[in-house]
């Protein structure tokens, strides 16, 4: 019936030559056909009931009563059966998947019997009564034929059979009555039949396209579900790989920092014992290399912590004066060594941001500026811009080519210049600016740069204006610093790495301290149980054998010698958030490799505090 459209299976009742299993497309078509016909059944039953009432009332006085009662009884039985069938179908759908073919056969049987009853009415009732009764009968039968087009056209054989039952008996019976009027009326019925068949073909094509589109949509949806499952699996694998990378960096950091830490301690002990200038210069070079490696580790771990969400932004009101002073103390010697000036302007301002993140951003920018500046200097400034403050780092260095100004924020990328780079320019992994960009993004702080090759660069971070905090009570003016001496100071060292423990012991003894070194928690406990005099300081590694930690050592020592015992915790791991533990347990944290000068300064601070 349809050329070029989707093939629709024949679901009308009849013998099957070969009982083949239905294909997925056939099952989908059967599901659609069953849903279509049963969705229209309630309206169709109502229409048939009204047609039955009209026909019975019109022919009540014209058709012999036995015929009329027999036809009415048959119609009533069929109507009740089809209504029960509709209720059963709806209950079956609510209970779960259905056999659409079986329900279609049941519905088609009822439809064929209903069309047959109206065909019988056309043959038996037509020659009874006058023009009004015939017209009413013809309009009733035609209305059912037209009404069946939308939902029967999905099943071609059923549609043709029902249309034949509606039209052919009426056409033949009218023509056989004879007379010009009846022949003319039979011709009109034939045209109406052809029009109805054409409408059925149009609906059949539309239904085929609808089912084809639905099947295509289902295929696309299934493909989308498959691709989404694959994407979710890939995302899960990527997350596992990311966690594995994080764990690798944490383990590698801890394991690689241990020998570096020991190397720095041995080098400093060697420098103290040897007065030869050349050896002192070599020791200085060793310490510089250790410091450089520590910087590389910090950059790699910063990137890892940012990517894994290990940094929580905790904004507060920051006075820039203290921040600028810390940065000055850190970078002024380096700038002085290169013959550069390092200036700070705008220290009176306050910003509202995370102090650690802001300091890390400025440290990376200042370090980068000093590295790539040979003449002139570096300026760190802060000035207002509306409701925000511009925190800027200016330099008079090499400058950045316009085509590279976007790429310099990428990982492992280092700027190229028309001038050849010196070895200290190539120092590092090219992660400093990548870290700056990611940290600025974490704070929602816009980061921009302007640069001219050969004239310098300025980086700008836009931060919210902060409020002035109450100034702390001024302390007693500091006394003049004297070289650190640990004479008559007793320091307990808990370190399971033999090389690190040995280097730390040699260094502390070189500063005049008495050292008690242990490698396990049990050894510390045994010593503390037989010692009455408290030590002056505890230096403990975080990770100890047998899954013990330095926190347990702190608890043990303070339980024996009092809660005021000063503690320095040393660790090679930067991925576990030890800062929170440091605040809660009241100790200071040093990351391996520890630069000896930092260790001396912190020891002096802890002993002075006590």
């Amino acid at each position: 019936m349809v050329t070029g459209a989707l093939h629709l299976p024949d679901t009308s009742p009849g013998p099957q030559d070969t009982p083949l299993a239905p294909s997925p497309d056939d099952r989908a078509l059967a599901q659609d056909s069953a849903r279509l016909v049963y969705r229209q059944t309630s309206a169709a039953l109502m229409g048939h009931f009204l047609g039955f009432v009209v026909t019975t009332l019109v022919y009540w006085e014209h058709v012999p009563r036995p015929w009329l009662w027999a036809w009415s009884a048959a119609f009533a039985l069929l109507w009740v059966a089809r209504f029960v069938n509709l209720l059963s179908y709806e209950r079956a759908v609510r209970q779960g998947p259905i056999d659409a073919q079986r329900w279609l056969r049941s519905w088609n049987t009822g439809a064929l019997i209903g069309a047959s009853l109206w065909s019988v009415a056309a043959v038996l009732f037509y020659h009874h009564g006058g023009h009004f009764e015939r017209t009413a009968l013809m309009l009733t039968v035609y209305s059912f034929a037209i009404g069946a087009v939308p939902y029967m056209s999905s099943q071609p054989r059923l549609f043709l059979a029902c249309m034949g039952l509606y039209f052919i008996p009426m056409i033949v019976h009218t023509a056989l009555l004879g007379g010009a009027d009846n022949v003319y009326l039979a011709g009109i019925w034939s045209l109406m039949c052809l029009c109805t068949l054409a409408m059925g073909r149009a609906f059949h094509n539309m239904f085929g396209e609808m089912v084809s589109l639905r099947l295509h949509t289902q295929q696309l949806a299934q493909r989308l579900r498959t691709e989404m499952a694959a994407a979710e699996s890939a995302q899960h694998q990527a997350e596992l790989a990311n966690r594995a990378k994080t764990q690798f960096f944490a383990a590698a950091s801890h394991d690689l920092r241990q020998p570096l830490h020991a190397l720095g301690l041995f080098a400093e002990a060697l420098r103290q014992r040897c007065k030869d200038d050349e050896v002192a210069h070599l020791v200085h070079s060793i310490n510089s290399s250790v410091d450089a490696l520590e910087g590389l580790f910090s950059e790699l771990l910063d990137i890892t912590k940012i990517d894994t969400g290990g940094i929580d932004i905790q904004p507060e009101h920051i006075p820039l004066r203290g921040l600028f002073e810390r940065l000055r103390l850190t970078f002024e010697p380096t700038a002085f060594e290169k013959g550069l000036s390092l200036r700070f302007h705008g220290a009176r301002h306050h910003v509202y941001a995370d102090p650690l993140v802001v300091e890390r951003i400025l440290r990376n920018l200042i370090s980068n500026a000093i590295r790539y500046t040979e003449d002139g200097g570096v300026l760190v400034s802060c000035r207002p811009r509306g409701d925000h403050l511009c925190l800027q780092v200016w330099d008079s260095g090499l400058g950045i080519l316009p085509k590279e100004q976007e790429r310099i924020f990428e990982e492992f990328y280092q700027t190229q210049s028309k001038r050849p780079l010196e070895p200290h320019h190539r120092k590092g992994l090219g992660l400093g600016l990548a870290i700056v960009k990611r940290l600025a993004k974490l704070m929602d702080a816009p980061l921009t740069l302007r640069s001219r090759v050969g004239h310098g660069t300025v980086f700008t971070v836009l931060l919210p204006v902060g409020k002035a905090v109450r100034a702390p009570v001024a302390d007693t003016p500091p006394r003049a610093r004297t070289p650190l001496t640990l004479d008559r100071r007793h320091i307990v060292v808990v370190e399971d790495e033999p090389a690190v423990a040995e280097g730390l012991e040699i260094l502390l003894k070189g500063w005049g301290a008495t050292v008690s070194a242990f490698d396990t928690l049990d050894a510390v406990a045994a010593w503390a149980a037989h010692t009455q005099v408290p030590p002056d300081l505890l230096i403990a590694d975080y990770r100890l054998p047998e899954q013990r930690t330095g926190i347990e050592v702190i608890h043990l020592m303070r339980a024996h010698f009092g809660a005021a015992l000063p503690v320095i915790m040393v660790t090679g791991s930067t991925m576990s958030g030890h800062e929170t533990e440091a605040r809660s347990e009241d100790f200071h944290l040093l990351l391996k490799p520890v630069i000896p000068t930092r260790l001396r300064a912190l020891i002096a601070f802890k002993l002075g505090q006590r």
Side-chain angles (χ1 to χ4, degrees), residues 159-422:
F159 177 73
L160 291 176
C162 289
M163 293 304 105
L165 290 172
Y166 281 129
F167 285 101
I168 292 177
M170 182 70 75
I171 293 172
V172 172
H173 189 68
T174 304
L176 291 178
L177 290 177
D181 292 340
N182 289 325
V183 173
Y184 181 72
L185 193 57
I188 293 177
W189 265 106
S190 299
L191 290 176
M192 294 169 64
C193 178
L194 292 176
C195 290
T196 305
L197 292 176
M199 289 176 60
R201 177 172 180 173
F203 273 95
H204 179 75
N205 289 338
M206 182 176 66
F207 180 78
E209 291 177 0
M210 179 189 71
V211 174
S212 177
L213 288 174
R214 192 182 71 82
L215 292 175
H216 183 62
T217 302
Q218 289 179 341
Q219 292 172 357
L220 290 178
Q222 180 61 37
R223 188 182 307 171
L224 179 60
R225 284 193 293 269
T226 303
E227 292 177 355
M228 287 180 64
E232 290 176 356
S233 176
Q235 182 181 5
H236 179 66
Q237 295 297 326
E239 291 174 351
L240 291 178
N242 199 27
R243 282 197 293 269
K245 178 188 71 171
T246 303
Q247 294 170 356
F248 166 77
F249 271 114
S253 168
H254 181 270
D255 294 342
L256 292 175
R257 285 171 184 265
Q258 295 282 41
L260 286 177
H261 180 46
L263 178 61
L265 297 176
F266 282 127
E268 179 62 20
L270 177 62
R271 187 190 66 79
Q272 291 181 0
R273 295 190 177 194
C274 182
K275 303 302 181 182
D276 191 308
D277 292 340
E278 292 185 2
V279 174
H281 178 71
L282 290 176
V283 171
H284 175 71
S285 298
I286 293 173
N287 285 332
S288 297
S289 298
V290 172
D291 195 17
L293 283 173
E294 193 273 337
L296 297 182
F297 282 142
S298 297
E299 287 184 350
L300 286 171
L301 291 166
D302 280 347
I303 284 287
T304 305
K305 289 178 73 175
I306 295 170
D307 288 345
T308 55
I311 295 181
D312 295 326
I313 301 299
Q314 298 178 352
E316 58 185 68
H317 299 282
I318 312 169
L320 292 182
R321 189 173 304 280
L323 175 59
F324 283 179
E325 284 301 319
R326 289 194 299 273
L327 295 172
R328 184 193 302 276
L329 290 174
T330 301
F331 291 102
E332 203 167 40
T334 307
F336 178 78
E337 185 179 2
K338 292 189 66 174
L340 304 176
S341 65
L342 178 61
R343 296 175 296 156
F344 293 84
H345 289 171
R348 68 183 184 278
H349 295 293
H350 295 72
V351 297
Y352 184 70
D354 188 303
L356 297 178
V357 174
V358 172
E359 183 168 349
R360 184 59 171 162
I361 289 174
L362 289 178
R363 284 181 179 274
N364 282 14
L365 291 178
I366 296 171
S367 174
N368 212 59
I370 293 176
R371 179 182 302 173
Y372 289 98
T373 302
E374 300 299 329
D375 299 306
V378 176
L379 169 64
V380 183
S381 69
C382 181
R383 57 189 179 85
R385 180 185 291 176
D387 295 334
H388 290 75
L389 292 173
C390 287
L391 205 55
Q392 298 177 312
V393 178
W394 303 71
D395 68 63
S396 56
L398 301 176
I400 304 169
L401 294 171
K403 64 181 181 180
E404 295 184 331
Q405 292 184 11
E406 287 296 327
R407 297 200 59 194
I408 61 169
F409 293 107
E410 298 176 3
E411 296 87 345
F412 309 109
Y413 183 81
Q414 292 182 315
T415 182
Q416 306 297 321
S417 174
K418 296 179 181 179
R419 295 160 53 184
L421 297 180
E422 300 295 333

Side-chain angles (χ1 to χ4, degrees), residues 499-531:
V500 175
E502 183 181 359
L504 189 56
E505 186 174 0
I506 292 173
L507 183 63
L508 293 174
K509 287 181 177 179
W511 290 339
T514 301
V515 180
S516 299
F518 306 97
D519 58 354
T520 64
L521 178 64
D522 293 338
V524 177
W527 171 82
H530 299 86
T531 303

Side-chain angles (χ1 to χ4, degrees), residues 24-137:
D25 287 353
D26 291 341
R27 287 195 295 269
L29 290 170
Q31 291 280 352
D32 285 342
S33 297
R35 188 163 46 248
L36 175 66
V37 296
Y38 276 99
R39 185 178 297 170
Q40 305 292 331
T41 298
S42 58
L45 289 177
M46 181 61 66
H48 279 268
F49 179 77
L50 293 177
F52 161 74
V53 172
V54 169
T55 303
T56 302
L57 293 176
V58 168
Y59 282 96
W60 184 259
E61 299 294 338
H62 304 283
V63 177
R65 296 298 172 82
W67 293 4
L68 189 60
W69 280 113
W71 182 83
S72 299
F75 189 92
L77 288 174
L78 175 65
W79 194 94
V80 171
R82 295 189 69 185
F83 182 73
V84 171
N85 179 256
L86 172 63
L87 297 179
S88 300
Y89 170 81
E90 292 177 348
R91 183 170 58 253
V93 168
R94 287 193 298 269
Q95 292 175 352
I98 61 171
D99 183 358
Q101 294 284 356
R102 182 177 72 83
W103 287 102
L104 271 179
R105 286 193 295 270
S106 175
W107 191 91
N108 293 346
T109 301
L112 284 171
I113 295 175
S116 300
L117 287 177
W118 285 109
S119 176
V120 169
V123 173
L124 294 179
F125 299 168
Y126 184 77
H127 62 280
H128 297 280
H131 293 292
F132 172 75
E133 287 77 14
R134 294 176 182 176
T135 302
L137 179 62

